[in-house]
Amino acid sequence: MRTGILVRNEWIKTRRRTAFWVASLVFAGLMSLIFGGMFSQGLRKPERALTLPAAWGEVMGGPGVLAAFFASIVLILLVSSEFTWRTSRQNVIDGLSKEEFFGAKLFLLPGVGLFFFTVMVLVAGGFAFAGTVAKGVLGSTGALVRPADLALMGGSIIGLLGWASLAFLLAIAIRSSGSAIGAFFLYFIVEQILGQLAGALGPTAGELFRFAPNAVFKALWEPARYGAVPLKAGQAPAIATEWYLVAGLTYITLFVLTAFLLYRRRDL
Amino acid sequence: MHVIETRGLTKRYGDVLAVDDISFSVEQGQVFGFLGPNGCGKTTTIGMLLGIITPTAGEVRLLGLTGRDGLHAARQKIGATLETPNFYPYLSGWDNLRIVANLKGVRHKIIEETLELVGLLARRKDKFQGYSLGMKQRLAIAATLLGDPQLVILDEPANGLDPDGMREIRELIVALGARGKTVFVSSHLLNEVERTCTHVAILRKGTIVRQASVHDLLKTATIVELRGDDPSRMRAAAEGYPKAARVSSRDDAVLVELQDDDAASLNRWLAGQGVFVAYLAPQRLSLEEAFIDLTRDDVATTTAGVA
């Protein structure tokens, strides 16, 4: 696989794509509004100030999860348009193997995912740092990032990649951005309804749905699971984080593998 | 050497037999026209040649290579477009060609030369979506030419072009042929094929009804127009001529389709039968007439595409 060439071409395609930059700016603006609002609220009510390192739990457990949805939608736009414009086919005619083309698109999965995660961490971290300085507690509580926060970020990245890999599969399978985005959100509703129906059938069926993809990816963003926020009494996670990590990584592998098999056996 | 060779190539989509047991070959240096009405299986066949559509049955050899890996290796030595020009609409012509050049391992200096060849150098920084259809077609041809390919495959390159655009594409194809390149061009525009191609295969409802050089195809169907005092006697005598493939009448004239192009022999035969003609004129069949003759059932579809 000619990795250097594939990455270079994906960079040419992505950096000139208006939709990518518009989504990035909207996301950065939204994050700035949310965390800027929390910062200014902290100036008025110091007890609610956004300060480090405690802010990481509030960020990941709250608005930070939007990074996953922006990354998933952008990924759908970048991948499915290759089929709409038939450039997927032309890339193969021009000399790529099907595996190389799939690999090139697969680079986007962590690339786009980590890009939005980084934007979120920088914006949120920036306002939280400013809040820490404003409150005059900088350095008084030890490190700005604790091991528990790093574990939370690691788990959240796997959760984000989980949703993004579902989006990736839908983009490859449906090959139309509008329909794939629709199917992506429809999936959450369907999983929610099925989970409730299963819960009504009995505790075992309900328990099984705790391992449904969306439930797993969501659970990986819970700060309490990593000790990034204090656990409330009687709210210990029912399922160990290790299990969710294994399930999350399994789903990512399954989604990517299914997308590959679908793409490989299909005529272009 | 066979640059393209197919044997028993078949593609079935459910109940629809899109391509039915096609076997043909293209030699090095030929400008090969793949001619047929819309929907007769041309694009599907090209897709199978390029290895991006899996045949239901049969075999393809491209530059002597076959199989999934073989066709992948062959694709790196050819330039091809399929259906409409497929590029990133938000990228400039230059950036689109940069992507192709990176894939083919071509230096960026060559992009400039190729853009100049197709007359797009001045518009290289404009977005593809702002190009006219003719410019899009020319950019597609430029992309196929990057990397000095041994074989160029063009699918309906004159589609949607105005007469000037069609002339430009025609000149480009002829120039490629003159440089010794093998060119495979599919079209439903008979005049274009007749004016650019050395060889032709005529496709009808997924099967090849004829493959020959354009010269042979037209030569084998010489029609002689006869006029004289007694058309009915002239026709009866012509019908008895051993090398007459078909005899018909048009107004006062009798049309004799010959199995060869020896009109003098027909004249001697008629004289021998006591029929003396006042007018005898061999008419070279146009590709259009040959095509209509070979794809008689599809005439309605075909004539719409005749330029």
Side-chain angles (χ1 to χ4, degrees), chain B residues 8-206:
Chain B
L9 204 56
T10 303
K11 182 67 183 179
R12 181 181 282 282
Y13 294 103
D15 292 337
V16 178
L17 191 59
V19 174
D20 184 12
D21 196 20
I22 279 183
S23 300
F24 69 94
S25 59
V26 178
E27 308 293 322
Q28 192 159 11
Q30 288 182 350
V31 179
F32 192 95
F34 200 49
L35 192 56
N38 291 330
C40 70
K42 297 191 295 290
T43 299
T44 307
T45 305
I46 296 174
M48 289 190 283
L49 293 182
L50 293 169
I52 59 164
I53 294 176
T54 312
T56 308
E59 190 193 38
V60 173
R61 278 187 178 274
L62 206 56
L63 306 176
L65 301 164
T66 190
R68 207 170 152 271
D69 293 339
L71 291 179
H72 169 54
R75 279 199 299 268
Q76 298 180 15
K77 297 174 189 166
I78 69 168
T81 61
L82 202 57
E83 292 179 297
T84 52
N86 301 313
F87 291 103
Y88 299 92
Y90 60 95
L91 290 181
S92 65
W94 175 268
D95 277 338
N96 269 300
L97 289 196
R98 254 175 76 198
I99 289 175
V100 182
N102 288 341
L103 295 180
K104 293 185 173 181
V106 173
R107 284 180 298 118
H108 289 179
K109 193 178 177 302
I110 306 289
I111 300 177
E112 211 169 289
E113 292 169 12
T114 313
L115 279 169
E116 192 162 17
L117 181 75
V118 298
L120 282 178
L121 191 60
R123 301 287 302 272
R124 67 188 182 280
K125 289 187 177 166
D126 293 358
K127 286 183 179 175
F128 176 74
Q129 62 196 6
Y131 282 5
S132 68
L133 188 54
M135 290 163 73
K136 287 177 178 174
Q137 291 281 20
R138 280 187 278 153
L139 188 70
I141 291 178
T144 64
L145 298 181
L146 285 174
D148 197 24
Q150 294 178 34
L151 165 69
V152 176
I153 297 178
L154 302 170
D155 188 15
E156 302 273 8
N159 240 5
L161 297 184
D162 58 21
D164 270 351
M166 284 164 79
R167 183 181 47 77
E168 284 171 16
I169 300 290
R170 187 164 61 236
E171 285 170 2
L172 211 54
I173 293 171
V174 170
L176 285 173
R179 280 165 56 190
K181 298 275 177 210
T182 309
V183 184
F184 183 94
V185 52
S186 87
S187 184
H188 67 286
L189 302 174
L190 306 159
N191 280 349
E192 291 305 310
V193 170
E194 188 172 356
R195 293 160 85 171
T196 54
C197 297
T198 57
H199 293 74
V200 67
I202 295 177
L203 198 64
R204 175 179 171 263
K205 292 182 179 170

Side-chain angles (χ1 to χ4, degrees), chain A residues 2 5-6 8-9 12-18 82 85-101 264-268, chain B residues 11 13 43 50 52-54 68 72 75-76 78-91 95 98-100 102-104 108 127 143:
Chain A
R2 297 166 287 174
I5 290 168
L6 301 182
R8 207 181 318 156
N9 275 358
I12 295 173
K13 295 176 200 173
T14 308
R15 81 189 161 110
R16 300 258 193 237
R17 189 81 188 267
T18 312
E82 294 275 7
W85 298 326
R86 295 190 167 182
T87 41
S88 146
R89 183 168 81 176
Q90 191 61 46
N91 277 195
V92 173
I93 291 172
D94 289 336
L96 282 187
S97 65
K98 274 183 152 185
E99 290 76 11
E100 283 174 323
F101 179 82
R264 194 167 185 266
R265 67 179 294 222
R266 199 162 54 195
D267 284 342
L268 294 177
Chain B
K11 182 67 183 179
Y13 294 103
T43 299
L50 293 169
I52 59 164
I53 294 176
T54 312
R68 207 170 152 271
H72 169 54
R75 279 199 299 268
Q76 298 180 15
I78 69 168
T81 61
L82 202 57
E83 292 179 297
T84 52
N86 301 313
F87 291 103
Y88 299 92
Y90 60 95
L91 290 181
D95 277 338
R98 254 175 76 198
I99 289 175
V100 182
N102 288 341
L103 295 180
K104 293 185 173 181
H108 289 179
K127 286 183 179 175

